[in-house]
Amino acid sequence: MSRLPAHFPLLNPPSPTPSNPPAARGAPVFHVRGLTKFYGEGATQVRALAGVDLDLHAGELVVLLGPSGSGKTTLLNQLGGLDIPTAGTLRYRDTDLTHATESELTLYRRESVGFVFQFYNLIPSLTARENVGLITEIADHPMPAEEALGMVGLSPRLDHFPAQLSGGEQQRVAIARAIAKRPAVLLCDEPTGALDVHTGIVVLEALERANRELGALTVIITHNAVMADMADRVIHFSDGRVLSEHRNATRALPATLRW
Amino acid sequence: MIAHLDRKLLRDLKRLRGQAAAVSLVMACGLAMLIMARSLISSLEGTRAEYYQTNHFAEVFASLKRAPNHLADRIRALPGVATVQADLAVPVTLDLPGLDEPASGIVRSLPDFGEPELNRLFLRRGRWLSPGSRGEVLVGEAFAKANALNPGDTLTMLLNGRRQTFHLAGIVLSPEYIFESRPGAALPDNRTYGIFWMPYKEVATAWDLYGAFNHLAITLAPGAGERPVIAGVDRLLRPYGGLGAFGRKDHPSHIRVTDEIRVLTILSIGFPIVFLSVAAFMTNAVLTRLLSLQREQIAILKAFGFTNRQIVVHYLKFAFVMVLAGLGLGLLGGVALGQNLVVMYELFFKFPDLRFRLDGPAVAIALGVGLGTVTLGVLDAVRRAARLPPAEAMRPEPPANFRPSLIERTGIARLLSHSFRIAIRNLERRPAQALFTVAGLALATALLILPNSFKAGISEVLDFQWDVVQRQDVNLGLVEPSSARLAHELARLPGVTSLEPSRSAAVRVHFQGRSRQIGLRSLLPGGRHSRAVDRAGREISPPPHGVILSSKLADVLGAKIGDTLVLEALEGRRPFANVPLTALAEDFTGIAAYMDLHAINRFLGEGDVITGASLTLDLSRRAEFLAALKEIPRVSTVAIKETMRQAFRETTAQSMGVIQSIYLTFAVIVAFGVIYNNARISLAERARELATLRVVGMTQHEVGAVLVTELVILALLAVPLGLLMGTGLTTFIIGSVNTETIRLPLVFTTYTYAFAVVVVLIASTLSAFVVLRKLKHLDLIAALKAPE
Ligand SMILES: Nc1ncnc2c1ncn2[C@@H]1O[C@H](COP(=O)(O)OP(=O)(O)OP(=O)(O)O)[C@@H](O)[C@H]1O
Ligand SMILES: [Mg+2]
């Protein structure tokens, strides 16, 4: 028996969305130049990012592909203000994230960024509604927790604790938590990495809808090349650098993806 | 070469050093108390036994009015008697320069030639009396010290009303006066009360006692029983005003040391139990956490062939290292405490050489008890972890199950903030850990109640004694019973504003086979000075017939109001009387019986006599009064309330200071340690959750608030519980140290409670603060990786 509802009316967009033409937008949300990140020192030093140049625009849905250890997560962590790069330029709108203080980064994450992680990272002692509420409590113009959970099709599971939810449901709570504050940026690190195909697609639908309806710049890291079809732009990462990128003419609906 | 498993142990210990240190410290408190108390017991017992042995301390003692010396030969002939020493003990008053009030004390006789057979003195400074000398005196050390007397000084003494000047030859100690104080006094007042020794001839001449004795010291033949000897001595002394012989266990000085040993015994059991239980729970918490972290490691070890036993031993070693550290600290602490307390004992007890001797067996006991408790505390958890089949252990622990907490289910959920919910659900999920933290904090709170309550109790005793019961300024004792007319003479002394005569007598109270030798004191109907007061603080007016007993004495005898007691006078014609027990007096020091002054005189059949008087003074004429008093030879003792009060205050302040700082230290260690451990474990278990909160934009403070909320809830539960526990503990301890010499009332003031609360909260806050600083170093990125 599937634990997921058969279909979500709210999550059924009528048709594939045309890709947003880049010219329609002004200044980029992220301006990245020569971004470099070293871990450790001396002999054991690792270069995780080796000069990344990248502009990311509002409303875009970007899929980031690349082999394991190529620095995807590292890049996402820098974008999300979880870490500070070793060298290079990293600007979020007018804010210089390379020289931000700890509390400036906290404020930045709090106001502008929504995170979705491979391992959900929910608070086990809070219910779905409370996990989202926890964040809306500290946000400026949040949507009600129930509305965010509705957007990911979890209205019937509001008062369940993480341990009582399936992996896909937990991930959708995490997405609801990320979008409830109406973030300008939605950063997802292998959001479907721990899920089966069917569940993964439900999660991707939730992300796609959040991107479309909230207009949040959405970056999705994945090892799954199939997911590239749902993006506006696909970036290939290798050895801490952008290897190549291409733009899709139209975004495929997640429901049409198969792997 | 260290085994690899031990190397892992060292690294684990290093990582958990903060928590291990907290556990060791709490354990150290208990072990320190154990080592201190057991060592002090053996120091006191050993030193006392040696002292008694070396100085030939007697085994049976008796006082009497007077008997011819040849009576001693008849006593010597009693079966079971080995040695008899007949000597003199007489009251004395002294006129000390620099002390405007007279001091008083006892003069004891020494053989004119040679050393006494029993109760030999120890010469601290100066020299012995020259054989056959006149005009020389030896002085007890406590009095000499309090009055800065040195060999070579002169002392003016009033012996049987005659003023004489003596040359201070030496300063001595006596096994009879290890506790040198006024009979019945709870605390020593060494400035105005002393013990002196002179040649027999000197004392006997002054008191017209030549060829007679009024005090006996006896040792028993090997194997002889004390009771038959006491009975025989009593029989022989009866015609000579014998006051009842008694053994060492009723000897006032001996009792005081024994009482102290009893208190130490209680400490040496009670405190270690409490502290070690807390430490065991803390060890359990630390190890349980470590074990759940290392599930997979254990599985791998087992997969590679380590036995369950090896794994159990490995983790037990972890606990044992903490015990060893605790023992080391406890040893240092115990020695330091013991040395401090020995200094305090020197205020009360005079031994030739009382030194803190570390008791080897005590250290061994401490080690055994320490290892035993932590093994009990962790063995089960360790065994369970070791028994887990490797395949199962390889899988991460199942995710934590949560449910709405009990409190929320009561319907106030809407009012609760998210961090409050997280806190309360976590507490409910780990009730044992929460419980131990609450218990530990409560213990810390309780520990703080005890010393302040002790202090308040003592101060209440002093106030009660001198503001409620004895409202006079001065008590005078007469050399011997005198005509009541003397009272008029005393009342005319300068500065005396009121005078009430008093009569006291040595009696034995009998009730149904039980008896006690006590002082019978007089009360005046409508008297304003000495009074008896009942439990409710109401004055009891003396019944025309009948006797009032200290309620402790009634307890000891098993008598109730309405029972008929037998009073046996131990002086004069030694009459007996049947008297009803009409009321119980609440008094805190000593035990006594009270009767109407006239009733006492009727009972003793000696006519209208007094043995003392109480006075109130016009304090501006105090000096004049004291000067005039010195001219009245029949006054043998003078006790001035203010002086005694001052002396008691100083002694208690010193000794309570030491005790209070010990309890304070222990309480702070426990509060700090318990909170530290709880917070560290929460932090470790929930690093991922807390880091996630930081990732999604919560500030350090907001994340800290989640942890702090938990601690605040625990503290809110623990502190009131601790106040309750402290009240109980104090009630128990004060109850168990209550003796016939002193009883402390239970006094709990707002200050006492507030002090405990404030100290525990400060210690907890500091501790929480130390842990919260670690939030700075939360690894945000690590939290997003795969769960451990
Ligand atoms: N905290 C760290 N300390 C040292 N090296 C690190 C750290 N984090 C990442 N690295 C190294 O940086 C490089 C990039 O790691 P990163 O996690 O960004 O890769 P990734 O592309 O996300 O890989 P994956 O697809 O496996 O998640 C790797 O070589 C990794 O070992
Ligand atoms: Mg990665």
Side-chain angles (χ1 to χ4, degrees):
Chain A
M1 188 199 97
S2 166
R3 276 170 300 173
L4 297 167
H7 76 110
F8 315 125
L10 283 172
L11 280 171
N12 286 338
S15 59
T17 338
S19 183
N20 290 332
R25 274 167 264 110
V29 177
F30 285 110
H31 176 74
V32 183
R33 287 297 175 271
L35 196 67
T36 309
K37 176 74 190 179
F38 286 103
Y39 284 115
E41 278 167 16
T44 60
Q45 199 175 51
V46 174
R47 190 174 62 173
L49 295 179
V52 177
D53 298 327
L54 199 60
D55 282 323
L56 298 171
H57 297 275
E60 266 189 311
L61 196 160
V62 177
V63 165
L64 195 54
L65 288 168
S68 186
S70 57
K72 307 181 293 296
T73 299
T74 308
L75 175 64
L76 204 77
N77 288 344
Q78 317 298 312
L79 294 180
L82 291 176
D83 205 353
I84 291 180
T86 314
T89 310
L90 170 57
R91 271 214 318 271
Y92 166 76
R93 296 197 200 277
D94 295 328
T95 316
D96 178 5
L97 294 182
T98 26
H99 297 106
T101 63
E102 176 63 38
S103 57
E104 283 164 352
L105 286 179
T106 302
L107 193 67
Y108 160 64
R109 293 199 300 268
R110 180 178 200 139
E111 288 180 344
S112 315
V113 188
F115 284 102
V116 179
F117 310 104
Q118 180 175 1
F119 300 104
Y120 331 134
N121 287 69
L122 296 178
I123 307 302
S125 55
L126 295 182
T127 61
R129 188 207 306 260
E130 290 163 354
N131 260 288
V132 179
L134 180 69
I135 303 309
T136 57
E137 230 172 36
I138 58 168
D140 271 345
H141 307 289
M143 61 180 84
E146 293 77 7
E147 184 185 335
L149 285 160
M151 280 185 76
V152 298
L154 277 183
S155 296
R157 314 300 299 265
L158 290 179
D159 293 318
H160 287 71
F161 284 91
Q164 301 164 330
L165 296 171
S166 74
E169 286 164 341
Q170 289 185 49
Q171 191 60 301
R172 282 186 281 150
V173 175
I175 293 170
R177 176 175 70 180
I179 63 178
K181 61 167 124 168
R182 305 180 199 278
V185 181
L186 189 54
L187 302 176
C188 318
D189 194 347
E190 303 188 36
T192 61
L195 304 174
D196 64 42
V197 178
H198 180 59
T199 318
I201 285 171
V202 175
V203 164
L204 290 179
E205 283 176 324
L207 285 175
E208 195 274 341
R209 179 168 180 218
N211 166 259
R212 194 159 33 80
E213 294 185 1
L214 302 175
L217 160 62
T218 306
V219 180
I220 303 176
I221 292 181
T222 179
H223 283 283
N224 186 349
V226 175
M227 282 166 55
D229 293 347
M230 67 178 281
D232 291 313
R233 189 145 61 113
V234 183
I235 297 172
H236 288 270
F237 223 70
S238 177
D239 268 340
R241 258 182 272 256
V242 176
L243 188 66
S244 65
E245 58 175 284
H246 74 268
R247 198 168 282 284
N248 289 330
T250 53
R251 286 164 40 166
L253 287 177
T256 63
L257 303 178
R258 279 294 172 269
W259 63 87
Chain B
M1 166 81 194
I2 310 176
H4 281 87
L5 209 50
D6 288 336
R7 203 169 287 171
K8 165 182 175 305
L9 175 77
L10 289 179
R11 298 218 174 112
D12 285 344
L13 270 171
K14 198 172 157 212
R15 213 159 37 80
L16 292 175
R17 60 185 177 274
Q19 290 166 69
V23 173
S24 295
L25 269 172
V26 172
M27 213 176 289
C29 292
L31 297 180
M33 214 61 181
L34 178 72
I35 291 170
M36 177 277 278
R38 298 245 38 114
S39 296
L40 280 179
I41 290 172
S42 88
S43 302
L44 278 175
E45 274 177 344
T47 309
R48 184 172 70 173
E50 277 166 37
Y51 190 23
Y52 283 178
Q53 170 96 37
T54 317
N55 293 54
H56 303 261
F57 186 51
E59 291 167 285
V60 171
F61 310 82
S63 293
L64 57 149
K65 194 157 167 56
R66 77 179 280 169
N69 276 343
H70 59 76
L71 185 70
D73 296 331
R74 287 180 60 199
I75 290 169
R76 215 166 269 126
L78 285 173
V81 170
T83 326
V84 173
Q85 174 172 300
D87 54 23
L88 295 172
V90 296
V92 65
T93 37
L94 290 94
D95 193 0
L96 288 178
L99 194 65
D100 60 0
E101 66 210 68
S104 54
I106 304 275
V107 177
R108 300 294 305 269
S109 70
L110 289 172
D112 291 329
F113 297 94
E115 251 196 297
E117 257 183 294
L118 301 179
N119 304 335
R120 292 186 181 167
L121 302 180
F122 173 87
L123 184 65
R124 175 74 88 200
R125 287 167 58 206
R127 56 169 178 79
W128 294 111
L129 302 175
S130 338
S133 72
R134 301 290 311 253
E136 285 187 350
V137 65
L138 298 174
V139 179
E141 187 184 33
F143 182 81
K145 243 191 191 151
N147 288 294
L149 298 175
N150 291 303
D153 288 352
T154 52
L155 283 177
T156 307
M157 304 177 98
L158 232 69
L159 269 184
N160 198 13
R162 269 190 40 236
R163 184 180 302 272
Q164 273 177 277
T165 301
F166 290 89
H167 182 80
L168 199 170
I171 291 171
V172 294
L173 301 176
S174 161
E176 283 182 282
Y177 298 99
I178 292 173
F179 186 74
E180 195 178 320
S181 98
R182 250 176 252 274
L187 293 166
D189 171 19
N190 299 129
R191 228 158 62 88
T192 60
Y193 187 84
I195 315 292
F196 308 89
W197 285 265
M198 291 179 193
Y200 177 82
K201 200 166 171 187
E202 187 103 62
V203 185
T205 315
W207 283 83
D208 285 331
L209 285 166
Y210 209 84
F213 64 91
N214 69 3
H215 181 266
L216 270 182
I218 297 168
T219 54
L220 304 176
E226 183 183 283
R227 278 164 160 271
V229 171
I230 288 177
V233 170
D234 278 348
R235 202 172 61 255
L236 287 177
L237 291 185
R238 179 160 307 243
Y240 301 96
L243 290 179
F246 53 89
R248 275 188 188 172
K249 72 174 193 330
D250 292 316
H251 188 281
S253 162
H254 183 88
I255 288 178
R256 294 307 298 248
V257 182
T258 308
D259 277 352
E260 190 56 39
I261 291 173
R262 209 163 54 87
V263 171
L264 285 172
T265 309
I266 296 172
L267 287 186
S268 77
I269 298 169
F271 274 71
I273 287 181
V274 173
F275 280 98
L276 291 177
S277 316
V278 173
F281 292 140
M282 288 169 74
T283 319
N284 177 287
V286 173
L287 262 180
T288 307
R289 163 71 194 144
L290 185 72
L291 290 167
S292 77
L293 253 182
Q294 301 195 341
R295 265 169 82 93
E296 287 152 59
Q297 300 183 27
I298 296 172
I300 289 163
L301 290 176
K302 288 184 66 173
F304 282 93
F306 280 88
T307 62
N308 284 357
R309 199 190 149 76
Q310 277 172 310
I311 288 168
V312 168
V313 168
H314 172 65
Y315 286 99
L316 278 183
K317 271 191 197 164
F318 188 91
F320 288 175
V321 171
M322 294 194 267
V323 174
L324 288 182
L327 182 66
L329 286 170
L331 196 59
L332 291 178
V335 171
L337 280 180
Q339 278 166 348
N340 257 304
L341 279 171
V342 161
V343 172
M344 188 182 97
Y345 283 153
E346 281 167 1
L347 288 174
F348 300 105
F349 300 135
K350 300 295 168 195
F351 286 102
D353 189 13
L354 178 63
R355 246 185 258 166
F356 180 78
R357 299 182 211 163
L358 183 62
D359 186 33
V363 180
I365 292 175
L367 179 63
V369 169
L371 292 179
T373 2
V374 300
T375 306
L376 271 181
V378 304
L379 192 60
D380 190 48
V382 173
R383 270 222 198 103
R384 248 184 298 125
R387 287 219 191 102
L388 211 58
E392 191 177 322
M394 287 286 196
R395 263 174 280 144
E397 243 181 312
N401 257 312
F402 282 90
R403 36 180 207 162
S405 63
L406 280 174
I407 294 189
E408 292 172 86
R409 273 173 268 150
T410 61
I412 56 165
R414 278 164 213 293
L415 306 174
L416 304 177
S417 76
H418 285 295
S419 43
F420 192 81
R421 278 179 218 193
I422 294 178
I424 210 142
R425 287 176 194 168
N426 270 300
L427 291 178
E428 282 198 11
R429 195 170 67 86
R430 298 208 147 229
Q433 193 183 319
L435 196 75
F436 299 148
T437 306
V438 167
L441 270 190
L443 168 69
T445 315
L447 283 179
L448 291 164
I449 304 278
L450 189 61
N452 272 328
S453 170
F454 242 90
K455 224 158 103 174
I458 291 176
S459 117
E460 180 156 310
V461 168
L462 298 188
D463 289 349
F464 177 84
Q465 193 68 25
W466 285 310
D467 291 339
V468 178
V469 177
Q470 302 197 353
R471 296 185 299 182
Q472 58 272 38
D473 296 319
V474 181
N475 272 329
L476 298 181
L478 301 180
V479 169
E480 55 189 358
S482 309
S483 149
R485 279 195 307 273
L486 181 61
H488 300 297
E489 195 182 321
L490 293 171
R492 281 196 303 271
L493 288 174
V496 174
T497 52
S498 68
L499 176 142
E500 291 180 2
S502 65
R503 171 80 166 104
S504 61
V507 296
R508 190 176 279 279
V509 198
H510 301 265
F511 181 70
Q512 293 181 347
R514 269 169 285 209
S515 72
R516 273 290 184 285
Q517 183 185 326
I518 49 148
L520 177 64
R521 301 181 194 161
S522 69
L523 294 175
L524 275 189
R528 317 263 322 131
H529 295 175
S530 297
R531 309 188 301 165
V533 172
D534 68 11
R535 183 160 297 225
R538 282 183 307 254
E539 179 170 352
I540 310 170
S541 55
H545 309 283
V547 66
I548 303 168
L549 294 189
S550 306
S551 49
K552 177 76 181 181
L553 177 55
D555 272 0
V556 169
L557 294 174
K560 295 182 306 297
I561 291 178
D563 288 337
T564 300
L565 312 172
V566 177
L567 284 190
E568 173 195 4
L570 298 174
E571 42 181 83
R573 277 175 273 139
R574 309 180 73 101
F576 282 82
N578 287 326
V579 281
L581 172 57
T582 54
L584 298 181
E586 206 53 44
D587 45 11
F588 297 113
T589 55
I591 48 175
Y594 306 86
M595 273 172 85
D596 181 284
L597 177 66
H598 303 292
I600 296 185
N601 275 330
R602 266 200 315 277
F603 164 50
L604 293 171
E606 292 176 347
D608 197 9
V609 295
I610 62 174
T611 54
S614 54
L615 313 170
T616 54
L617 286 185
D618 172 356
L619 288 175
S620 65
R621 299 182 66 188
R622 187 180 133 117
E624 215 181 317
F625 163 78
L626 290 168
L629 188 63
K630 287 175 184 171
E631 303 308 321
I632 301 192
R634 286 151 84 188
V635 173
S636 69
T637 62
V638 183
I640 296 179
K641 180 158 93 179
E642 267 325 300
T643 316
M644 293 173 69
R645 203 170 194 161
Q646 193 54 37
F648 288 168
R649 271 203 200 110
E650 281 164 19
T651 328
T652 43
Q654 277 185 55
S655 50
M656 287 312 296
V658 175
I659 296 192
Q660 200 162 20
S661 50
I662 294 174
Y663 280 73
L664 188 68
T665 313
F666 284 6
V668 167
I669 287 177
V670 171
F672 195 94
V674 162
I675 287 288
Y676 180 84
N677 239 311
N678 183 292
R680 279 306 296 268
I681 289 173
S682 297
L683 189 63
E685 280 181 346
R686 291 155 61 202
R688 190 179 167 78
E689 169 182 337
L690 298 174
T692 304
L693 291 175
R694 291 279 287 122
V695 166
V696 300
M698 284 199 162
T699 62
Q700 244 181 63
H701 286 127
E702 286 163 336
V703 172
V706 174
L707 282 184
V708 167
T709 308
E710 263 184 63
L711 297 179
V712 168
I713 293 170
L714 292 177
L716 286 181
L717 291 173
V719 166
L721 188 69
L723 296 180
L724 257 162
M725 260 171 66
T727 309
L729 180 76
T730 307
T731 309
F732 169 75
I733 291 196
I734 287 187
S736 65
V737 300
N738 268 0
T739 58
E740 290 175 35
T741 17
I742 181 150
R743 297 171 291 284
L744 282 185
L746 285 168
V747 184
F748 297 104
T749 62
T750 322
Y751 169 80
T752 301
Y753 287 131
F755 180 81
V757 172
V758 168
V759 170
V760 165
L761 291 185
I762 289 178
S764 314
T765 308
L766 284 179
S767 174
F769 186 73
V770 169
V771 177
L772 287 182
R773 283 190 346 180
K774 303 222 173 278
L775 279 178
K776 261 203 195 101
H777 310 297
L778 263 187
D779 189 346
L780 303 195
I781 293 170
L784 307 177
K785 296 194 173 145
E788 49 195 37

